[in-house]
Amino acid sequence: MSLGLGLFIISGCLAVLAGWSVNFRITGTRFSWIGFLIGALAFLMAGVVQNLLVTPVALAIHGGEGVVQLVPMFFWEAVYYGLAAGVAQEGMKCLANAVYRRRAFLPVAIALGAGFAWAEIVLISVPAWQTPVASLAGLALPVWERFSAILFHIGTAMLIGLGFYRQMVWRYLLLAVMLHTVVDAVVGLMALFKVDEVIVFELAFFVFSLMTIWLASKWTKQHWTTHDIENREGM
């Protein structure tokens, strides 16, 4: 089995399973497959926006060759790339939420986050399709990293969905962007300072993602009222 195929099958299934299980546990409603597909499309749009934000800066600093394998040269450059990722990706989740708004805000938000994470898995899997792995153990770290990302994307999508429900979109969107910026900026800073503690980072990312989805679940569950459940057929 190749690395790309393993990621696609295992992590892709995890994205669907995580979205379905979080939705069932918190809302008890059916999973929104339309929301899932819209979330996947949102990721593709986010990639375009992120490239538009990153490429001009990267070209100005590194030139054409430096963009291929982008490694920040400065602290604030790494932070900017993290911010660009946060603005593009969380912004597109927000746009997707706005396009597919339903009274039952929480099932839609969860599905959007799961679909977003699934599309990211597909994009990452394709370049690694021909990369062989000796055993399933070789997939452990990449799949663990993708599982953390799945939890994170679902969590931030839930926060943005809550923002729409409470009519405080910008406040919750800003929170999601800040959380995303932290993750991607740390990745850039590790490359800048040549820190190679991959296991430590993945453990920290996993804990950070768990905290994000726990916080989102706690906040959103408080607003998942009987009125919302009675109107879930409007999804």
Side-chain angles (χ1 to χ4, degrees):
M1 179 182 291
S2 70
L3 176 60
L5 181 60
L7 273 177
F8 177 74
I9 294 174
I10 300 173
S11 300
C13 290
L14 282 174
V16 175
L17 181 61
W20 181 87
S21 59
V22 171
N23 178 71
F24 181 79
R25 181 175 178 81
I26 297 179
T27 74
T29 65
R30 67 178 183 270
F31 188 69
S32 174
W33 289 105
I34 296 177
F36 184 89
L37 293 175
I38 292 176
L41 290 174
F43 173 78
L44 298 178
M45 295 172 63
V48 174
V49 174
Q50 189 171 334
N51 280 332
L52 289 174
L53 293 173
V54 169
T55 302
V57 175
L59 284 173
I61 297 175
H62 302 279
E65 294 183 0
V67 176
V68 179
Q69 292 184 337
L70 187 57
V71 177
M73 293 178 61
F74 311 104
F75 176 86
W76 289 111
E77 182 189 359
V79 173
Y80 172 77
Y81 294 153
L83 179 61
V87 169
Q89 296 189 32
E90 304 309 326
M92 282 302 143
K93 288 178 193 171
C94 184
L95 179 61
N97 242 307
V99 169
Y100 192 59
R101 286 188 67 183
R102 293 294 185 273
R103 184 179 296 276
F105 77 99
L106 190 49
V108 170
I110 293 169
L112 286 172
F116 196 97
W118 179 83
E120 187 175 45
I121 290 165
V122 173
L123 184 68
I124 291 173
S125 299
V126 172
W129 208 260
Q130 300 298 325
T131 304
V133 287
S135 65
L136 288 176
L139 289 168
L141 189 60
V143 169
W144 181 22
E145 192 269 341
R146 282 299 92 203
F147 182 64
S148 299
I150 291 165
L151 297 180
F152 181 78
H153 283 308
I154 294 175
T156 55
M158 289 168 66
L159 290 173
I160 293 169
L162 179 60
F164 276 100
Y165 180 78
R166 298 192 65 192
Q167 298 183 347
M168 298 178 178
V169 178
W170 293 109
R171 180 180 298 181
Y172 285 92
L173 175 59
L174 179 60
L175 174 59
V177 169
M178 289 174 60
L179 292 172
H180 202 128
T181 299
V182 169
V183 174
D184 278 52
V186 167
V187 173
L189 290 171
M190 288 178 65
L192 171 63
F193 294 110
K194 296 180 174 57
V195 178
D196 196 27
E197 299 293 337
V198 178
I199 300 296
V200 174
F201 169 78
E202 295 300 347
L203 179 60
F205 182 35
F206 179 67
V207 172
F208 190 77
S209 298
L210 280 178
M211 292 175 61
T212 300
I213 198 168
W214 174 81
L215 184 66
S217 300
K218 182 178 180 180
W219 287 355
T220 53
K221 199 169 184 178
Q222 293 173 358
H223 297 278
W224 185 244
T225 62
T226 302
H227 175 73
D228 294 309
I229 297 173
E230 290 173 349
N231 288 278
R232 62 182 180 270
E233 295 301 325
M235 287 193 300

